[in-house]
Amino acid sequence: GEGQVSGVSDIDATQVRQVVMNLIINASEAIREGSGHVVAIKLTSELGTGTTIRVLLVDDEPTIRNLGKRMLAKMGLDAVTAEDGMEATEIFRKNPGEFQLVILDLTMPKLDGEETFHILRKCRADIPVLVVSGFDEQEAMARFQGQPHISFIQKPFQLAQFKEKIKALLES
């Protein structure tokens, strides 16, 4: 039926999870060695202007992280993923200036999107945030009233929508 995950992407997700875990492990080792910055997952990050736009993608679902990363790569953006708010805030705190955008799932274990948002904004008040949720926009965004540089996209979303929202946030 519609929206069923086929066997192929199951394998995919597991492989991706493996890769993501390895990258996270490598990144944390590099941090322990005191190199002072997160080892980013290098994608096709060079935009025409020669600047790297780095995005922190936070979602507890491996499939969404995988898909989001692929979409971001298609847009020429460099994605660093985190599987929950705890990991996201840890990565972000080490180098808040490194990211131009955070894509943040609302419903996560350990530290939800709302709490994560406030911690990220404490580190850096102007970081643009794209909130992702299965809830509708009114319900999800009620918690963020009056916050600048924030946008919302409802799951499941199309690449075109995703692109539009990101472009608007990066230009705001």
Side-chain angles (χ1 to χ4, degrees):
E2 269 295 306
Q4 281 301 306
V5 178
S6 70
V8 181
S9 38
D10 283 346
I11 296 164
D12 235 334
T14 314
Q15 288 170 337
V16 167
R17 199 173 304 139
Q18 215 29 64
V19 171
V20 170
M21 284 316 297
N22 289 343
L23 284 160
I24 291 165
I25 290 159
N26 293 342
S28 50
E29 275 166 13
I31 290 159
R32 269 203 300 280
E33 283 160 23
S35 63
H37 61 205
V38 175
V39 178
I41 300 162
K42 268 291 170 213
L43 295 169
T44 49
S45 60
E46 293 309 319
L47 296 174
T49 55
T51 53
T52 302
I53 303 276
R54 186 157 295 158
V55 180
L56 181 57
L57 173 64
V58 194
D59 200 300
D60 58 320
E61 293 174 52
T63 350
I64 302 272
R65 286 201 304 274
N66 176 20
L67 186 70
K69 213 162 77 181
R70 285 213 301 259
M71 286 180 170
L72 290 164
K74 276 202 178 99
M75 296 165 64
L77 305 179
D78 189 23
V80 177
T81 59
E83 60 180 50
D84 57 45
M86 300 283 279
E87 191 185 4
T89 52
E90 238 166 75
I91 291 171
F92 193 78
R93 271 188 181 129
K94 289 199 172 79
N95 202 342
E98 192 177 355
F99 298 97
Q100 281 71 50
L101 174 69
V102 176
I103 298 171
L104 186 58
D105 182 32
L106 262 193
T107 320
M108 295 182 293
K110 292 188 197 166
L111 201 61
D112 71 19
E114 194 180 350
E115 294 170 301
T116 306
F117 173 85
H118 291 297
I119 295 170
L120 297 177
R121 282 283 168 95
K122 267 197 191 98
C123 296
R124 201 176 129 206
D126 66 340
I127 183 75
V129 177
L130 178 60
V131 172
V132 182
S133 174
F135 295 118
D136 70 17
E137 183 160 4
Q138 265 185 311
E139 197 179 334
M141 295 308 279
R143 322 164 185 206
F144 302 106
Q145 265 165 359
Q147 292 284 358
H149 310 301
I150 188 166
S151 187
F152 173 83
I153 193 165
Q154 188 169 9
K155 288 184 199 178
F157 48 79
Q158 301 299 315
L159 178 60
Q161 266 182 303
F162 191 57
K163 265 188 174 154
E164 235 166 76
K165 296 277 183 179
I166 288 174
K167 212 170 154 295
L169 265 176
L170 289 172
E171 287 166 1
S172 72

